[in-house]
Amino acid sequence: MKRVARRSVLPDWTWPELAQMAREEGRWIIGVDEAGRGPLCGPVVAGAAALADPNPIEGLACSKTLSPKRRAALYAHITAHAPAWALAQGSVEEIDELNILQASLLAMHRAVDQVVAQLQLPLDHVLVLVDGNRLPQWPYRSVAVVKGDEKVPAISAGSILAKVNRDRWCEAQARLYPQYGLDVHMGYPTPMHLERLQIHGASPIHRRSFGPVQQVLAAHQSQEYRP
């Protein structure tokens, strides 16, 4: 069996190898992923989940490959049947202060902390699998798995939790700020969103550290937001 360092990036490991390693070391796998790094507004959301072994939730996959209806159904299954799960955010203020990467890692840290607390496990009984190629600074044995949301069921579950939660946030904000069409583009810099920004200026939920928002703020100066 291959060995893994305490904090590793392992694009070449397979899910069966990671699952076998966790079983041999007596560790519970926690998967974590984020949603909302690219949008121009709102928090970045992290979802973390610990699944039963064997996992009874069928159809887990990368959230981006699933229809909204299928994501919502899986979200309900995860929240009902996962032994532990959590959602956490990096706020707009934290994104602007720290940058989007660090705010994403912070949100992941918060979500995993909640799952570990729910499971009431000591640190040496946890293996955290993170989607991507970066890891937060934390005390957990962890592996960054490139395209992990396509390979690892627990990461897929975290991806679904985060995506559905953030999309629902966008739908709620669309009722407060209907002029931006957030329920259509979910905050991403689509032509529609960029046009609405030019017309209405930046709202309080827009990320002021992001280039398109900075440009609009500079152009509108004191008129940052017009309802």
Side-chain angles (χ1 to χ4, degrees):
M1 183 67 187
K2 290 186 284 190
R3 302 300 298 171
V4 59
R6 183 172 183 84
R7 300 176 71 252
S8 304
V9 178
L10 298 171
D12 59 330
W13 279 48
T14 66
W15 163 235
E17 289 175 322
L18 290 166
Q20 180 183 346
M21 180 181 69
R23 292 190 188 101
E24 289 178 351
E25 297 182 2
R27 296 176 182 270
W28 199 315
I29 288 176
I30 298 171
V32 62
D33 197 5
E34 53 73 28
R37 286 183 61 171
L40 302 179
C41 62
V44 60
V45 177
L51 303 179
D53 186 12
N55 169 38
I57 304 172
E58 297 182 357
L60 292 173
C62 170
S63 64
K64 301 180 187 70
T65 67
L66 301 168
S67 69
K69 182 178 179 180
R70 184 60 180 152
R71 280 197 301 265
L74 284 168
Y75 182 98
H77 283 299
I78 295 163
T79 56
H81 300 295
W85 62 274
L87 288 155
Q89 295 184 352
S91 68
V92 171
E93 293 75 18
E94 288 168 331
I95 292 168
D96 289 340
E97 179 180 354
L98 301 174
N99 73 46
I100 185 59
L101 172 60
Q102 294 305 318
S104 299
L105 296 175
L106 179 60
M108 288 183 180
H109 200 321
R110 289 168 172 164
V112 170
D113 283 350
Q114 292 181 56
V115 171
V116 172
Q118 291 171 36
L119 294 172
Q120 299 182 324
L121 291 176
L123 294 184
D124 59 356
H125 286 189
V126 170
L127 175 63
V128 184
L129 303 182
V130 181
D131 183 61
N133 60 5
R134 301 291 292 271
L135 291 169
Q137 294 293 327
W138 53 18
Y140 306 117
R141 179 80 171 276
S142 55
V143 178
V145 185
V146 175
K147 296 185 178 179
D149 53 358
E150 301 175 3
K151 304 173 184 177
V152 178
I155 297 179
S156 299
S159 170
I160 292 164
L161 290 171
K163 174 65 174 168
V164 172
N165 180 267
R166 202 195 124 81
D167 283 357
R168 289 176 178 174
W169 178 91
C170 287
E171 290 164 357
Q173 294 302 308
R175 293 190 285 272
L176 298 175
Y177 304 101
Q179 64 271 40
Y180 296 103
L182 296 175
D183 54 337
V184 177
H185 50 66
M186 301 303 172
Y188 284 91
T190 64
M192 174 187 178
H193 193 182
L194 295 174
E195 180 185 24
R196 300 293 179 85
L197 266 177
Q198 292 292 333
I199 295 171
H200 301 288
S203 75
I205 61 173
H206 278 93
R207 301 171 179 176
R208 277 143 174 74
S209 57
F210 277 44
V213 181
Q214 290 180 338
Q215 294 169 12
V216 166
L217 290 174
H220 284 249
Q221 295 181 351
S222 62
Q223 295 181 338
E224 291 188 14
Y225 172 63
R226 296 199 305 271

